[in-house]
Structures are given as C-alpha cells and as structure tokens.
Amino acid sequence: MTFWPFWLGAIALASVALGCLVLLRRPMGVSGNLAQALDPGARAAELEERTLTQEELRFALEQATRDAFADAEIREAMNAARPAKSQPALGAPLGWSVNVLFLIGIVLGAAVSGIFLGGASATIDVGPTYRALLGDGPRAWVMLFAGGTLVGFGTRMAAGCTSGHGLVGCGRFRPGSLVATACFFGVGIVLSFALVWVRR
Amino acid sequence: MKRSARWRGGSALVLGALLGFSLSRIGFTSYDELHKMFVFSDLRLVLVFAGAVGLSAIAYRLLPLGRAIPTRRIDRSTIVGSILFGLGWALSGACPGAALAQLGEGKLFALFTLAGIVSGTLAYGPVNGRLLRWATDSCG
C-alpha cells in the first residue's frame, strides 16, 4: 500500500477537524467520543465542575464581601449584574448516539480504505516492526492490551488524545493541549527508542 | 430522532468515516510507519501532523469560534495522563482513533488494543473517583 504524501494527509485531517467544528459544533476528540459513549454520566460531571471562570470566581468573592459588609441598595444593584455563566461558544455536548456514530464511522471509513485501496483482508499479523520489538502471537496481544489500557486510561485522565489535544488543542494554541501533546509525543519517542535499544 | 438530530448523526458518521479513511491512508494505523515517526527515520507522519495543526490554526483564526475553553492551570492530570497515553501509544501503536481504524482495516489484533482502551477508559472513573480525585481538564 502506498501511503499519502504528507500534504494530503495534513489537508485531510485538518478538514475533518474543521468539519467537526462546523457541522457538529464541537471540537473533534476521539477519546472524548469514547469516554462519552462508554461512561456518559461521569464525563458530564467532570465537565460540569470545571467551567468556573476567573470572572465568576471574582464575582462570587465580591458578592460574599458585599453580602457581609455593604448596604442593601448596593447589594441589590451589584449582585444583579452577575457575569453570564461561561459557556464555550460551541454547541452542547453530543448525544450518546452521535458519539457512537462517529466511532462507527471511523471503522467504516478505514474499511473502505482497506478494502478498496489497500487490498487488505482480515489479518492477525502485527507487522515486522512490532514483531521485532515486542513479539508476536499471544505475547503481542498482551502488549497490545496493556498498551491499550494505558491509552484508554491516560486519554481519559488527560481528557484528550492526538485529535483532541494534538490537532484541535494545539491548533487553537491552548497551553494545556500544547503541554499534553509535547508529553505524549515525547514519551512515545523515548519509549520507542528504548524498545529498539533493549532489542539490540 | 428529530430532523436536526438525524443531521448531526449523519454528519458524525460521515466525519468519522473521513477520519478513519484518512488515518488508514496516511499510515497512522501501521506500527511500521508510526515507529518510523517516533525514531525520526521518516518525518512524513510528523509533517502530516504539523501540517494539520498549522492548517487548523489558520482556520480557527478565520472562523468565529470564540475562546477555546481556557486551561485552568496546567493540571497534573493533563501531564500524567498524557505520559500514560504516550507510553500506551508506543506500546500498542494506536491512539484511540487509529485503533478503531485498524479494526476497520481488518487488523484483528486491534481487538486486543480496543479491549484495553475500553478497560482503561472505564477504569478511570472509579479510580479517579475513589483513589486519585484529580480534577480533569478538557481539550475543547
């Protein structure tokens, strides 16, 4: 299979990210789709508790001060002017079925690629590099499961993966996403070198 | 479903399909290609990623999207979580989207990866709730 040149891949990924924002009014983020598909209640609660902004915090402190010390008129006048609850300019979180449909879409899209362009068929061959570094057969399956568990747990903890933090977060220059991307790329690089070194 | 919900559902399916198709064509589903990226023997995937980020950055400047959800501060959950994710990524060869794409391509071993991803995703709720109690940021 010949892979796409880099510029085509870049355009494709950026287009999908943009499509999510325009059509779904949500930033793309596969780990988020997964988390919301598998554990919708918990994720919603996590998101709830983090939308307090600086403005809201300051208002709350000022309000407490006014309630303690100020005259009734001042309290009424100023307490009424609370800042609008911070909401992202984007739409509401996607419903459960929309998350699931996105995930199913990934599988189907890749199937189209595999069937019509790559001539791929069902295989359990992990490929030469994986076999050389981590083994084959059941040993590889254990590694894949372990790696997958780290991916699932880590992306949930970081609240984002290569699409959410990497593509969208970095594209918007979000400091948290820039740090996250540097971390997971950096660690991936280090571990990959280590795997080669161990096998020497 | 209401009409608008059907539209979102259909859009999600199409966008997901484009993502899966792209991940496959780019080579993010191939451990051979991914490894080459990680050890700098082939920069193609790095350029894909950097290019996509660059193009997205331009688009976000042009579109009226409002502020990104601000980072509260750099949470340890962001850093530790990303470290764990990076380890898992190099160990399994798959970020969440790529694992699903691998399955679509017929790479049946991805079932083990996905089983792990599902387990890890589900485990986080109780582990964080009972043991860690760390605040979790968002990537939006």
Side-chain angles (χ1 to χ4, degrees):
Chain A
M1 164 165 10
T2 329
F3 295 109
W4 278 349
F6 80 91
W7 51 268
L8 188 51
I11 290 172
L13 290 180
S15 303
V16 177
L18 207 60
C20 286
L21 281 169
V22 171
L23 293 176
L24 299 176
R25 313 248 332 124
R26 293 294 298 172
M28 180 170 74
V30 180
S31 68
N33 297 126
L34 267 168
Q36 279 165 43
L38 294 170
D39 198 356
R43 183 66 190 140
E46 281 164 14
L47 285 172
E48 251 310 300
E49 68 173 40
R50 54 138 342 278
T51 51
L52 194 67
T53 61
Q54 291 282 18
E55 290 92 10
E56 287 172 308
L57 188 58
R58 183 173 46 216
F59 184 86
L61 290 170
E62 289 171 351
Q63 181 176 23
T65 310
R66 280 193 289 274
D67 288 347
F69 299 112
D71 295 336
E73 291 144 7
I74 298 177
R75 277 211 306 273
E76 268 165 33
M78 299 196 75
N79 285 350
R82 54 174 336 117
K85 174 127 176 65
S86 76
Q87 291 291 341
L90 305 171
L94 303 173
W96 183 84
S97 44
V98 179
N99 278 301
V100 171
L101 283 167
F102 190 88
L103 298 172
I104 292 175
I106 297 177
V107 177
L108 293 178
V112 168
S113 165
I115 293 170
F116 292 107
L117 293 166
S121 51
T123 177
I124 56 168
D125 179 17
V126 291
T129 311
Y130 202 91
R131 193 164 25 248
L133 295 177
L134 288 153
D136 207 337
R139 185 195 140 108
W141 302 340
V142 170
M143 292 294 182
L144 290 170
F145 182 84
T149 308
L150 287 168
V151 169
F153 195 83
T155 54
R156 180 102 184 259
M157 181 187 283
C161 58
T162 41
S163 48
H165 277 308
L167 265 190
V168 178
C170 288
R172 300 176 94 182
F173 299 112
R174 255 185 106 249
S177 296
L178 293 167
V179 168
T181 305
C183 284
F184 57 69
F185 262 102
V187 168
I189 290 169
V190 168
L191 182 58
S192 295
F193 273 113
L195 288 171
V196 173
W197 188 79
V198 161
R199 280 281 154 189
R200 260 188 317 112
Chain B
M1 277 188 196
K2 292 189 313 206
R3 187 168 165 278
S4 62
R6 258 207 305 270
W7 165 250
R8 280 185 20 137
S11 303
L13 194 66
V14 169
L15 287 166
L18 287 171
L19 182 62
F21 186 82
S22 302
L23 289 175
S24 173
R25 301 302 308 149
I26 292 168
F28 273 115
T29 51
S30 157
Y31 195 86
D32 304 323
E33 293 296 307
L34 199 70
H35 185 77
K36 281 193 263 185
M37 172 184 84
F38 278 138
V39 297
F40 304 113
S41 71
D42 184 351
L43 294 183
R44 189 178 59 90
L45 253 47
V46 177
L47 291 173
V48 167
F49 196 85
V53 171
L55 288 174
S56 301
I58 295 171
Y60 299 144
R61 280 312 212 190
L62 298 175
L63 291 176
L65 293 170
R67 270 182 332 159
I69 294 178
T71 310
R72 197 166 23 185
R73 60 177 193 277
I74 306 295
D75 282 326
R76 66 188 158 179
S77 59
T78 307
I79 294 175
V80 173
S82 299
I83 290 173
L84 294 175
F85 167 42
L87 291 173
W89 192 15
L91 209 56
S92 67
C95 64
L100 288 164
Q102 283 177 334
L103 189 64
E105 286 177 335
K107 292 176 170 144
L108 297 178
F109 55 81
L111 287 169
F112 293 99
T113 318
L114 284 165
I117 292 179
V118 168
S119 307
T121 304
L122 289 173
Y124 182 71
V127 168
N128 191 37
R130 273 177 235 160
L131 293 176
L132 299 172
R133 311 197 127 265
W134 288 358
T136 306
D137 198 5
S138 164
C139 62

